[in-house]
Amino acid sequence: MTTHPSFLRPSRRILAVPSVFVSALLLAGCGAAPGPASRPSAGEASPAAAREAQGPAPRLVLTYDGGISVLDAKTLKPVGGAELAGFNRLNPAGDGRHVLVSTGDAFRVFDAGSWSEPHGDHSHHYAAEPRLTERAFEASKAGHVVRHAGKTVLFSDGSGKVESFDPAGFAKTLTTGLPATDVYTAPEAHHGVAVPLEGGGLLVTLGNDERRTGAVVLGPGAGQDRKEIARNENCPGVHGEAVAAHGAVVLGCQDGMLIYKGGTFTKVDSPDNYGRMGNQAGSEESPVVLGDYKVDKAAKLERPTRISLVNTETATLRLVDLGTSYSFRSLGRGPAGEALVLGTDGGLRVIDPATGKVTSTIKVTAPWTESETWQDPRPTLFVQGSTAYVTEPDARKIHAVDLKSGTVEKSAVLDVVPNELTGVEG
């Protein structure tokens, strides 16, 4: 069972970037302590060094021990980064440009330095040096960030604070402060998650520091004034979330998966008394959610070989044996909703979610063994568009897999050992 995060407190200053990066000049002016009251210099959202690009310039953002590195998603070449002490987690902010860094006592705002701006019937595209800004959402044990229904929601495990905002215009807002947020506080603090719903509703997990039991759905409103419209407490160990086609939301349980759709909760039970599906990957192109599947409650680290496929329309479960183990960072979805799983044998499996058939296996990395410490680097899968990016920490490499051709299109050697991985569309 994956242990919930135990974040290390980060350094409160931004250090000079290693020589491998080219962003030192922009980072030099970002030494103030982060917080909602901190004010950047004019140009916080639009660096003076910004240059117009011919088209969207997608970028990859990865963590390493002591910092954040940014790569050009097309060439896999480094374009900048920042040093930041501690174990940090990455979450797209929802505007295609910024990343929220869960640092323990804050969600810090990192500017990946690539964005597009509407201009009449077309858009202008820009690129600049990436940098860690002075902006930060205060938090107690900063946890999950979820983007859905035009909102971005932050969950603080240490306080139960659920903070949501509209990411549209995020960059412009950052020139003077943080965006206006709606704050709801869960009855008890716990390692949880919240999902914004269409129509202004909010799904929030239930639990405390001893046990987690399920979720509640709150109707439209503000703060604590939201009215409860649905509840289910039959999801022990509730963990993770995913959204499938037609707005179906799922949560993982130790004995199955909980589906919320059309105002109603439905439980899909595991065939085993303990059949945990704590990590999921959804796609709006498919009603089927991909999940892990673990059956050994006593294991310090279980290395499962089966994955779960839960159909949110029929509330049915299919288990598929892959013949290889995988980790919680191995799950992803392709552009057409295909299920993707990176195995410890180095193969990226492409699976038809409707039938469970493995349609192809793409050799990407050397065989690897998952560490028993969940914060340690391990091969990580991230999908952007029709490209699957896979890190290979042992070799300090990253690979770009073209999902249309089923081939490794490009590989690059990194100057750091990659850990977490995400990206922005630019």
Side-chain angles (χ1 to χ4, degrees):
M1 175 178 176
T2 302
T3 306
H4 68 267
S6 176
F7 294 108
L8 300 177
R9 189 179 183 86
S11 168
R12 303 311 268 164
R13 62 190 179 95
I14 302 173
L15 306 176
V17 179
S19 58
V20 64
F21 299 131
V22 294
S23 58
L25 288 177
L26 284 170
L27 289 170
C30 297
S38 60
R39 297 180 64 86
S41 58
E44 173 73 47
S46 299
R51 62 187 183 280
E52 189 162 0
Q54 291 184 339
R59 289 179 169 179
L60 303 175
V61 183
L62 59 88
T63 61
Y64 61 91
D65 185 11
I68 300 170
S69 177
V70 181
L71 310 177
D72 182 301
K74 296 177 181 178
T75 66
L76 302 184
K77 293 181 179 179
V79 293
E83 288 192 356
L84 184 63
F87 175 72
N88 304 297
R89 309 211 70 182
L90 302 176
N91 319 273
D95 67 343
R97 171 178 176 178
H98 292 89
V99 171
L100 297 175
V101 187
S102 301
T103 62
D105 60 358
F107 293 94
R108 299 200 62 180
V109 179
F110 183 84
D111 186 349
S114 181
W115 68 95
S116 300
E117 295 179 1
H119 185 78
D121 60 354
H122 62 284
S123 294
H124 285 180
H125 309 285
Y126 300 92
E129 303 294 349
R131 62 219 174 95
L132 191 63
T133 76
E134 296 179 353
R135 300 302 184 199
F137 295 87
E138 293 181 348
S140 173
K141 295 182 180 179
H144 286 285
V145 176
V146 175
R147 296 158 292 117
H148 182 57
K151 297 289 184 180
T152 299
V153 174
L154 322 176
F155 194 99
S156 295
D157 292 349
S159 64
K161 180 174 72 172
V162 178
E163 194 167 11
S164 61
F165 65 92
D166 183 347
F170 190 40
K172 184 177 180 180
T173 302
L174 291 176
T175 61
T176 56
L178 291 169
T181 62
D182 177 75
V183 178
Y184 169 82
T185 304
E188 296 180 277
H190 62 284
H191 176 52
V193 68
V195 183
L197 304 174
E198 298 290 347
L202 185 68
L203 183 152
V204 185
T205 53
L206 297 168
N208 52 41
D209 59 1
E210 295 182 353
R211 65 192 187 108
R212 304 189 301 277
T213 58
V216 62
V217 172
L218 308 170
Q224 304 301 122
D225 293 334
R226 294 174 179 269
K227 304 298 182 183
E228 180 178 320
I229 61 176
R231 173 184 290 255
N232 186 293
E233 297 187 58
N234 184 31
C235 185
V238 59
H239 187 273
E241 57 74 33
V243 178
H246 311 301
V249 179
V250 305
L251 303 168
C253 316
Q254 291 180 348
D255 58 358
M257 194 172 283
L258 193 61
I259 302 170
Y260 178 75
K261 182 180 179 182
T264 303
F265 279 108
T266 302
K267 176 70 176 293
V268 177
D269 292 322
S270 301
D272 301 279
N273 290 332
Y274 181 86
R276 184 178 186 270
M277 306 180 207
N279 299 282
Q280 316 84 24
S283 168
E284 294 185 357
E285 302 300 320
S286 171
V288 178
V289 171
L290 166 67
D292 57 359
Y293 192 72
K294 295 184 176 182
V295 296
D296 188 353
K297 187 175 183 179
K300 181 178 180 180
L301 173 67
E302 183 177 349
R303 294 183 167 89
T305 60
R306 290 184 293 175
I307 52 97
S308 57
L309 296 170
V310 174
N311 190 315
T312 59
E313 291 184 342
T314 60
T316 55
L317 163 67
R318 181 193 304 271
L319 296 177
V320 179
D321 197 325
L322 301 178
T324 185
S325 62
Y326 56 91
S327 86
F328 68 96
R329 291 187 184 164
S330 292
L331 309 179
R333 303 301 291 265
E338 58 269 45
L340 305 172
V341 183
L342 178 66
T344 56
D345 62 354
L348 177 63
R349 284 160 176 77
V350 181
I351 304 166
D352 182 339
T355 64
K357 180 182 178 181
V358 177
T359 58
S360 65
T361 299
I362 307 166
K363 181 65 175 177
V364 183
T365 74
W368 52 280
T369 301
E370 182 181 10
S371 170
E372 292 188 354
T373 302
W374 76 268
Q375 295 96 334
D376 284 348
R378 68 204 64 214
T380 297
L381 170 67
F382 170 70
V383 182
Q384 190 159 266
S386 60
T387 304
Y389 297 94
V390 176
T391 61
E392 189 172 6
D394 288 347
R396 290 195 176 190
K397 287 184 178 181
I398 186 167
H399 309 278
V401 181
D402 184 346
L403 294 172
K404 293 180 179 179
S405 65
T407 60
V408 176
E409 187 177 43
K410 190 180 296 292
S411 297
V413 177
L414 304 172
D415 292 296
V416 296
V417 178
N419 198 335
E420 291 218 341
L421 176 68
T422 189
V424 298
E425 296 88 353

